[in-house]
Amino acid sequence: MIFGYSAPLSRFIVDATRNSFAEELAEVVGDRLGFAPTPSEIESWRNSLAVLGRILATESLQEYQVVLEFQMPLSSARADVLLLGANQDGSLAALVLELKQWSTCGESAIRDTVAVMGRPATHPSVQTRGYANYLRFYHSAFTQNSATLSGACLLHNMKDKRSISLLNSASHFDTAPKEFPIFVAGSERELLAFIRDRLPLGATAENVTELLDGQPCPSSKLLDVLEQSIQDRFEWRLLNEQLLAFNTVVSAVERAREHGEKCLIVVRGGPGTGKSVIGIQLLAHACRQRWRVAHSTGSKAFLTVLQAKTEETTEALLKKIFNQRYKSRMPVKEVFVTFREIARLGVSGSNQLDLVIGDEGHRLWDVRRNVKSYQPESSTPMIEEMLAAAKVTVIFLDDDQTVRANEIGSVAYLEEQAKRLGVLYEFIPLDVQFRCAGSSAYVNWVENVLNGTAETKPGDVPAWKSHQAYDFHVFDSVAEMANALDVKRTQGLRSRITAGFCWRWSDPMPTGTLVDDLTHPSFAGWSGHWIEKSDRYAAPRDHRYYKWAAIDDYAEQVGSIYSVQGFEFDYVGVIVGDDLVYRQGQWVANLKANKDNQFKQDLARRRALDPSVNEVDKLQNIYRVLMTRGMLGTYVFFTDPETRFYFQSMQGDKNVSSLLMPA
């Protein structure tokens, strides 16, 4: 487990009063987590930790262990403070303590939030409850043993009576303030009593080891619990910005249903920030509330698998939602649909739905198009037609995951369209990382290396690697990479191989055998075949995308950007082809090596309209997506030796960096 600081209470009390403690903590956090804390974050540590140290020093307490900036398992979210003690039977007792410097707060139009300096912020008790629930579900100390876990919040600057009354209001926040109480200025003795009650004894070395050396439990992959989620038999543990995004959308729909306010909410997050999880949680909530809802996406592969995983239950669900006996009378015929279907619904009539959830929003087209000929069906912007279909539309996207040139979904574009149409607009950024073992540092490293903006130099070991935060390895042999992934599968871990579109995609042979299109001199005898080229309009459970993503019997097939986008696996192998290579300090595109004709045709069309459209950017986006699909690890093979050399050196392989660059 990754954390910023751990020491017995007596040591913490001394450290917290030192002027340099916040800066020292920032240095450790920067090294272990791979990013530099902001000046405001350092200042908050300086203030809040000093206050906490003084409070804990006022009375004789057990020798608890104090852990600061504890990173959640399989997530980059961090709890401010964990106090560790023991129960009477010697088992671990832990307490999550959230620190806030707020002095006032007010009512917010978004549920489970308060207004702080004019902006919505998740209620501290709700935030702490999120950490506690997450640890109970994903940390081995709480899933496998008899450890206890509680939580509280310390708002040491809070004296305003109206704010305190609001924070403790059961009518606004239900049971959260009672379960995870808030202690304000003047209630220090009550906080100490609460701690003593929840942590009867001091922490033993075994208690500390149980938490700090504990193992993350397997994460719940979206596809594995999709059907349970929408049937209200599984609830995702949302954290921080995820909670804010969820509550913002729910509150917007409630207002729209009551007052008719039309709204577009854009949620932007990089790979693994939980966009799809929030979307499914929203769908589940909407179904429970009997809202007229549809989930849409621009990814054919993602849509196909969502439909296949839920086809046995969604028809009955639709009948309940729309209170109709026959499918033909419903505005949408499936719960999971395409952006195009929502756009067509918008043309036929406005506000037929309460909520449209749009996932993979970066794949929005400029205008609605025929799926077979790809020719325009309308001259109206596609997003305008989609917005007409529902009272509230939420779009989840990542500006850096657009692949084809006619995919124009971006935050700037959507904000511009909302203003043009007079639609209320809200924007929420997601920063917490849930894929790649929760390592934001790894994701940032991939993006920076691909962009040529990495701060590490060849031979330097990135922080995420030195602390073994994520299993990333560059292989010298594609056969070795494939064998390593096979081993992971025998261990019960889901793994797949993906590749850049640098090989043709052949039809199966008359016998049904797939052609080994993936060959290269650097493969040294290894060859592979793409996913089966079957009917693109097959039923969801018979579709190639579903078989490849969901059934391990098809794991030997190689997927592309179009089959993997939106999904996650425990381990992902990536074959980087010759279409993107590193030369003399910069990335260079070689479109002759790329066999995706539609990609190149779209690029040519867009470049004719906008010469700034760059093929390097699009290819970097492809490989960025492929290298961030893994929950636990990513294995990579480069067909180009110089590019392989560069990536190896950028992850700190000193043996490689000491060699001459290959010719």
Side-chain angles (χ1 to χ4, degrees):
M1 294 296 169
I2 298 177
F3 52 90
Y5 172 93
S6 176
L9 176 60
S10 55
R11 169 69 183 277
F12 169 74
I13 290 172
V14 174
D15 286 342
T17 60
R18 292 189 291 108
N19 291 332
S20 60
F21 183 56
E23 285 72 16
E24 293 168 7
L25 179 60
E27 186 174 345
V28 174
V29 168
D31 176 59
R32 292 182 179 176
L33 278 70
F35 68 91
T38 63
S40 62
E41 192 168 16
I42 296 172
E43 185 64 20
S44 70
W45 290 338
R46 182 180 293 110
N47 296 332
S48 295
L49 294 177
V51 171
L52 178 62
R54 289 194 295 270
I55 293 173
L56 296 177
T58 57
E59 291 189 19
S60 177
L61 295 172
Q62 297 279 351
E63 186 68 308
Y64 304 130
Q65 187 81 4
V66 180
V67 182
L68 305 179
E69 299 302 313
F70 182 81
Q71 184 169 304
M72 297 289 107
L74 301 171
S75 168
S76 63
R78 291 170 286 135
D80 290 340
V81 181
L82 276 180
L83 295 179
L84 309 183
N87 295 304
Q88 296 293 347
D89 62 0
S91 61
L92 170 67
L95 188 149
V96 182
L97 187 61
E98 181 66 20
L99 307 178
K100 300 290 186 188
Q101 297 190 87
W102 302 349
S103 56
T104 62
C105 64
E107 291 193 27
S108 168
I110 299 171
R111 71 175 207 158
D112 282 347
T113 71
V114 291
V116 179
M117 299 181 67
R119 298 179 62 85
T122 299
H123 187 284
S125 298
V126 175
Q127 183 179 356
T128 305
R129 180 176 61 192
Y131 291 142
N133 288 342
Y134 194 90
L135 286 170
R136 287 171 182 146
F137 197 79
Y138 289 118
H139 193 295
S140 60
F142 305 103
T143 60
Q144 301 172 9
N145 302 314
S146 57
T148 59
L149 181 63
S150 54
C153 316
L154 174 60
L155 279 64
H156 53 86
N157 292 331
M158 181 64 71
K159 299 178 181 179
D160 182 69
K161 292 183 179 180
R162 288 187 178 181
S163 299
I164 295 170
S165 176
L166 171 63
L167 288 167
N168 288 300
S169 170
S171 61
H172 284 81
F173 304 108
D174 199 26
T175 61
K178 183 176 181 179
E179 295 171 355
F180 299 90
I182 292 175
F183 298 94
V184 299
S187 62
E188 291 82 1
R189 288 188 176 277
E190 289 83 355
L191 171 61
L192 292 169
F194 182 84
I195 293 172
R196 284 195 301 269
D197 180 65
R198 298 307 190 275
L199 310 179
L201 302 175
T204 65
E206 290 77 13
N207 298 143
V208 176
T209 298
E210 187 177 355
L211 183 94
L212 299 186
D213 292 349
Q215 296 300 310
C217 297
S219 64
S220 303
K221 299 177 189 66
L222 184 143
L223 295 184
D224 293 339
V225 294
L226 173 63
E227 193 165 32
Q228 297 97 304
S229 296
I230 62 176
Q231 290 180 326
D232 198 23
R233 293 188 287 114
F234 178 88
E235 184 173 356
W236 289 95
R237 279 75 184 168
L238 303 181
L239 294 175
N240 298 359
E241 300 100 328
Q242 285 187 314
L243 269 174
L244 179 60
F246 176 86
N247 286 321
T248 299
V249 176
V250 169
S251 298
V253 176
E254 290 172 345
R255 291 195 303 272
R257 284 168 57 87
E258 185 173 352
H259 304 296
E261 292 179 334
K262 199 174 193 59
C263 182
L264 169 64
I265 300 168
V266 175
V267 181
R268 181 181 66 192
T273 48
K275 300 184 293 295
S276 297
V277 164
I278 304 170
I280 295 302
Q281 191 83 329
L282 283 168
L283 176 62
H285 182 82
C287 292
R288 289 196 296 273
Q289 302 300 315
R290 300 290 178 88
W291 292 346
R292 297 163 67 88
V293 63
H295 184 290
S296 61
T297 179
S299 167
K300 175 63 176 176
F302 194 38
L303 172 66
T304 299
V305 178
L306 292 175
Q307 290 178 337
K309 283 284 188 179
T310 60
E311 66 180 5
E312 295 177 359
T313 58
T314 50
E315 183 169 348
L317 191 63
L318 279 169
K319 290 178 180 179
K320 290 181 180 178
I321 291 173
F322 294 105
N323 195 28
Q324 292 288 346
R325 183 175 180 182
Y326 301 104
K327 251 187 168 184
S328 59
R329 296 179 181 176
M330 301 175 192
V332 289
K333 304 303 182 286
E334 305 287 345
V335 170
F336 298 103
V337 296
T338 64
F339 290 156
R340 176 175 175 266
E341 289 171 277
I342 294 297
R344 291 177 64 185
L345 180 64
V347 173
S348 67
S350 63
N351 292 344
Q352 297 187 62
L353 301 174
D354 296 314
L355 173 64
V356 163
I357 301 161
D359 204 349
E360 299 284 312
H362 38 269
R363 304 196 67 173
L364 277 168
W365 292 336
D366 46 1
V367 295
R368 179 164 42 90
R369 295 174 179 274
N370 184 284
V371 293
K372 293 183 179 180
S373 67
Y374 205 56
Q375 295 302 307
E377 296 177 327
S378 169
S379 60
T380 303
M382 189 178 196
I383 186 60
E384 180 176 340
E385 294 179 343
M386 287 183 64
L387 290 175
K391 297 171 183 174
V392 175
T393 302
V394 55
I395 301 289
F396 297 93
L397 57 76
D398 177 3
D399 289 357
D400 294 328
Q401 285 194 44
T402 57
V403 175
R404 288 182 169 168
N406 278 328
E407 295 172 352
I408 62 171
S410 70
V411 172
Y413 173 76
L414 292 171
E415 181 177 8
E416 175 188 327
Q417 294 298 312
K419 289 180 178 178
R420 180 179 68 84
L421 297 168
V423 174
L424 291 175
Y425 173 83
E426 294 200 45
F427 169 69
I428 302 170
L430 298 177
D431 297 316
V432 173
Q433 176 61 231
F434 291 88
R435 200 179 291 147
C436 302
S439 178
S440 294
Y442 167 75
V443 175
N444 293 337
W445 177 83
V446 167
E447 292 180 349
N448 292 335
V449 171
L450 286 172
N451 290 336
T453 58
E455 294 181 0
T456 55
K457 298 177 182 179
D460 291 345
V461 179
W464 58 266
K465 190 171 184 67
S466 61
H467 293 286
Q468 300 180 337
Y470 188 65
D471 186 7
F472 177 85
H473 186 75
V474 177
F475 283 81
D476 292 324
S477 162
V478 69
E480 290 180 10
M481 183 184 80
N483 289 336
L485 292 169
D486 286 341
V487 170
K488 295 301 181 184
R489 273 197 297 279
T490 64
Q491 297 171 349
L493 299 172
R494 188 172 297 166
S495 66
R496 296 292 185 272
I497 296 180
T498 62
F501 225 122
C502 295
W503 294 268
R504 66 177 184 173
W505 187 16
S506 299
D507 292 324
M509 290 187 282
T511 59
T513 302
L514 302 182
V515 178
D516 278 4
D517 288 314
L518 283 83
T519 61
H520 194 273
S522 68
F523 289 174
W526 183 90
S527 61
H529 46 262
W530 291 114
I531 63 174
E532 60 183 80
K533 197 173 186 179
S534 56
D535 181 9
R536 63 184 296 192
Y537 301 108
R541 284 189 177 270
D542 297 326
H543 202 283
R544 59 187 182 232
Y545 287 146
Y546 171 72
K547 292 177 180 178
W548 181 80
I551 303 176
D552 279 346
D553 289 346
Y554 294 83
E556 83 284 354
Q557 299 177 1
V558 179
S560 72
I561 181 65
Y562 302 115
S563 53
V564 78
Q565 200 165 19
F567 298 125
E568 57 197 18
F569 304 94
D570 292 311
Y571 278 81
V572 172
V574 183
I575 301 173
V576 180
D578 292 336
D579 56 347
L580 184 67
V581 297
Y582 193 76
R583 293 290 184 271
Q584 299 179 340
Q586 64 181 0
W587 289 98
V588 178
N590 175 18
L591 289 182
K592 290 183 179 179
N594 189 284
K595 305 303 181 185
D596 187 349
N597 292 328
Q598 188 66 62
F599 170 83
K600 291 188 282 190
Q601 290 170 12
D602 290 347
L603 195 63
R605 292 193 194 100
R606 293 293 295 178
R607 186 175 287 148
L609 300 173
D610 182 3
S612 67
V613 173
N614 189 334
E615 65 268 24
V616 172
D617 292 341
K618 298 299 181 183
L619 291 168
Q620 287 172 333
N621 285 352
I622 289 173
Y623 288 114
R624 180 184 295 108
V625 170
L626 298 183
M627 291 185 190
T628 53
R629 296 297 99 185
M631 299 292 291
L632 303 176
T634 298
Y635 293 163
V636 187
F637 175 81
F638 295 85
T639 57
D640 178 67
E642 188 170 337
T643 310
R644 188 188 320 154
F645 174 95
Y646 173 64
F647 248 83
Q648 286 174 319
S649 68
M650 292 303 291
Q651 63 162 337
D653 191 330
K654 296 185 184 298
N655 293 326
V656 171
S657 62
S658 64
L659 301 174
L660 293 175
M661 181 70 75

